[in-house]
Amino acid sequence: MKSIIDIVDLSVAEIEELIAVAQELIVNPGQYAHACAGKKLATLFFEPSTRTRLSFEAAMYELGGQVLSVSSADSSSAAKGESVADTARVISCYADIIAMRHPKEGAALVAAQHATVPVINAGDGGHCHPTQTLADLLTIMREKGTFNGLTVGLCGDLKFGRTVHSLITALSRYSGVKFVLISPEELKLPSYVKRDVLKKNGIEYEQTENLEEALPALDILYMTRVQRERFFNEEDYLRLKDHYVLSVEKLKNAKPDLAVLHPLPRVNEISVAVDSDPRACYFKQVLNGKYMRMALILKLLKEAGTL
Ligand code: CP
């Protein structure tokens, strides 16, 4: 039973296939309108979400399937102490596939070990968020036509930002990719990502605190929110939250074909005036996420023998 817990659960070839299916869906949205008729997706979200939960649900409806939803821990028996393992076993009796978000790192893996249907990690604590990466990859492919040879700046909360960890892992499998890691000292990329992904694969990277100096060399700028929910004290969050604010003024020194991405939600880190710059791709990224989640649901249900 294939589940997607980490982006490396998908090979480069499988990601190419998903991108191809997503691009077919963009051109011909009705093509798979009944592909999942009679099938159910359960979305189990024990942490807040707008994009991921609703795009999974929109994806399943657009494939002709149905949705069962838990939108907060409080509204499920997790509030009574039920374990992730038991929850996964139980939901497998009702649904053909599960998308789960949980505040604890490793929770989706535990769910996958106990479920009898495919489990998709929709974000586990500060660890990873593979389907956001699928949205990011389709956006980069549509904007740049390639993953090879790109200089990718990641800016903000690189410590707790799970989307950053998954995107670095995914892009490290392509040739000539260089990363510029832009963060305050306290929010640097975790050493396990540097060791196990960047150093292990001989990927070129530099670390800086200075967004303005880094901007002119970038092909992609991936802005992130400071992850308030992962901080141990509010004072630190308040001190760091507005460290980077991308403005129209700062973008004057960037390449004309830069693509600005952000997994959203945005707080203050991209000024609203940037939204009308043609280089702002973050709302396109949202829509791309739905298409990639449609492609992923189709793939996993086919591989499970359900379709
Ligand atoms: N990008 C993302 O995961 O957004 P949500 O938290 O709204 O799902």
Side-chain angles (χ1 to χ4, degrees), residues 48-53 101 129 132 263-265:
S49 168
T50 297
R51 273 145 296 274
T52 311
R53 184 170 68 82
R101 171 170 289 186
H129 191 348
Q132 178 62 48
L264 305 180

Side-chain angles (χ1 to χ4, degrees), residues 61-77:
Y61 284 126
E62 289 188 28
L63 292 168
Q66 291 172 304
V67 173
L68 309 171
S69 191
V70 170
S71 60
S72 70
D74 291 352
S75 65
S76 79
S77 286

Side-chain angles (χ1 to χ4, degrees), residues 88-110:
R89 255 183 224 155
V90 168
I91 301 300
S92 300
C93 301
Y94 308 142
D96 302 287
I97 187 164
I98 297 170
M100 190 178 96
R101 171 170 289 186
H102 199 283
K104 286 203 177 133
E105 291 81 2
L109 178 61
V110 172

Side-chain angles (χ1 to χ4, degrees), residues 18 29 36 50 62-63 83 90 115 121 127 136 140-141 153 155 158 161-162 175 177 180 187 204 221 233 252 260 295:
L18 292 174
C36 291
T50 297
E62 289 188 28
L63 292 168
S83 67
V90 168
N121 181 5
H127 182 220
D136 304 341
I140 294 170
M141 184 52 76
C155 178
L158 310 189
R162 57 195 174 195
S175 67
V177 173
V180 184
L187 298 179
E204 197 181 332
L221 173 60
N233 77 68
K252 284 183 182 153
V260 180

